[in-house]
Amino acid sequence: MSVSGLIASPSRCCLRLSDCNQGLVCRQVPSIPIASKPKAKFGKLHLERSRLTVSFRRWKMQKTHLIKCAMDASYGDMASESGAAMFPRINVRDPYKRLGISREASEDEIQAARNFLISKYGGHKPSVDAIEAAHDKIIMQKFYERKNPKIDIKKKVREVKQSRVVQAVTSRFQTPATKFIVKTSIAFIVLGVLTVLFPTEEGPTLQVAISLIATFYFIHDRLKSKIRTLLYGAGAFIFSWLLGTFLMVSVIPPIPILKGPRSFEVLTSLITYVLLWVSSTYLK
């Protein structure tokens, strides 16, 4: 070591630094400058430190470059497709939501959505695969539904209610007070029981006449109009009797409980009572 006022061999320290080309390099630098020629020794030390700083920066730049290359190799597909837009709904499971269409979409709408998305994201292979998979799944579902159709009862009932004919008919009826419904129901139930229990040889003529009078009475009690009472009552009676006769002849089979020569008239009268009760109670 060099001591002030003495000259001896200077000790050296070994600095180990990583180099991008040579790995670990040992560079010896004097720990204490020689007493003789101090300016020259300090200049040499400064030059050596500058060289080491430049080498360290080069090694750091090479390390950063290697890490970047490794990341590019890991995502080679994405790197090769840089610049191609990725489908944003690529991970959506529902095929309809993935294509952005409703479940009631037609085949033309499905095909148009598929073509549009393919043209927009055609440069990204995973996006194309996701779009094609959703399109194929929807097409297969549509084919299965056509092959095995299901009857949607709620949809059919809704369509019938929304038809113009049904709306025109329902607009002619209204629901009265509960007390009035109970009163008309008791009257026509009594007429029905009398018709079944006491049939005559001439048929239930008396009971039918009483049902017509009861219809006029209830309609007038609700509408307070003689003309409308006469028109509605007569029309309801004629329509009810004709419809009851048609149902007994063409639709309803004979009922074994009601036997006798006048069983046909009795059943027709019962059907007429039901229709007259509806007319006298709910007709507006």
Side-chain angles (χ1 to χ4, degrees), residues 43-260:
K44 185 177 180 181
L45 178 61
H46 181 70
L47 180 61
E48 190 71 18
R49 290 177 61 186
S50 299
R51 290 177 58 191
L52 291 175
T53 303
V54 172
S55 299
F56 180 73
R57 288 179 179 176
R58 286 182 181 175
W59 172 79
K60 192 172 183 180
M61 291 176 63
Q62 288 183 357
K63 184 177 180 182
T64 304
H65 179 71
L66 290 174
I67 293 174
K68 185 177 180 182
C69 292
M71 292 178 65
D72 291 342
S74 300
Y75 299 96
D77 294 338
M78 297 182 65
S80 63
E81 294 173 354
S82 59
M86 187 177 73
F87 185 40
R89 298 189 298 273
I90 190 172
N91 295 322
V92 176
R93 292 187 176 183
D94 190 345
Y96 292 93
K97 292 181 179 180
R98 188 184 299 176
L99 295 186
I101 57 177
S102 64
R103 295 186 177 275
E104 289 77 20
S106 62
E107 293 186 4
D108 294 337
E109 293 173 343
I110 297 170
Q111 192 67 26
R114 178 258 180 197
N115 294 339
F116 172 76
L117 295 175
I118 289 294
S119 64
K120 188 174 181 180
Y121 304 102
H124 190 255
K125 189 177 183 303
S127 298
V128 174
D129 294 341
I131 295 168
E132 292 288 1
H135 172 265
D136 295 343
K137 188 173 182 179
I138 293 174
I139 293 299
M140 291 301 296
Q141 286 181 356
K142 294 290 184 182
F143 175 76
Y144 180 80
E145 290 175 359
R146 286 198 304 267
K147 190 175 180 181
N148 303 284
K150 294 182 179 179
I151 299 175
D152 191 349
I153 299 177
K154 293 183 179 180
K155 184 178 180 181
K156 293 296 182 181
V157 171
R158 185 169 60 252
E159 290 177 354
V160 171
K161 289 182 178 180
Q162 292 176 354
S163 63
R164 293 183 178 180
V165 177
V166 174
Q167 289 182 352
V169 173
T170 54
S171 64
R172 302 305 307 167
F173 292 88
Q174 65 179 3
T175 303
T178 305
K179 184 178 180 180
F180 188 82
I181 296 174
V182 173
K183 183 170 62 174
T184 56
S185 300
I186 293 174
F188 283 99
I189 289 173
V190 170
L191 287 174
V193 172
L194 293 175
T195 302
V196 173
L197 295 179
F198 304 102
T200 59
E201 295 181 358
E202 293 81 9
T205 307
L206 179 60
Q207 291 88 333
V208 171
I210 295 173
S211 67
L212 178 58
I213 295 172
T215 302
F216 284 130
Y217 171 76
F218 290 131
I219 292 176
H220 184 269
D221 186 28
R222 212 162 34 84
L223 301 180
K224 307 299 182 183
S225 174
K226 294 182 179 180
I227 298 177
R228 293 175 66 183
T229 299
L230 180 62
L231 293 176
Y232 285 177
F237 178 78
I238 295 172
F239 174 77
S240 301
W241 189 261
L242 293 176
L243 181 60
T245 304
F246 170 76
L247 292 176
M248 286 301 304
V249 172
S250 304
V251 179
I252 300 176
I255 299 177
I257 299 176
L258 299 176
K259 297 180 180 180

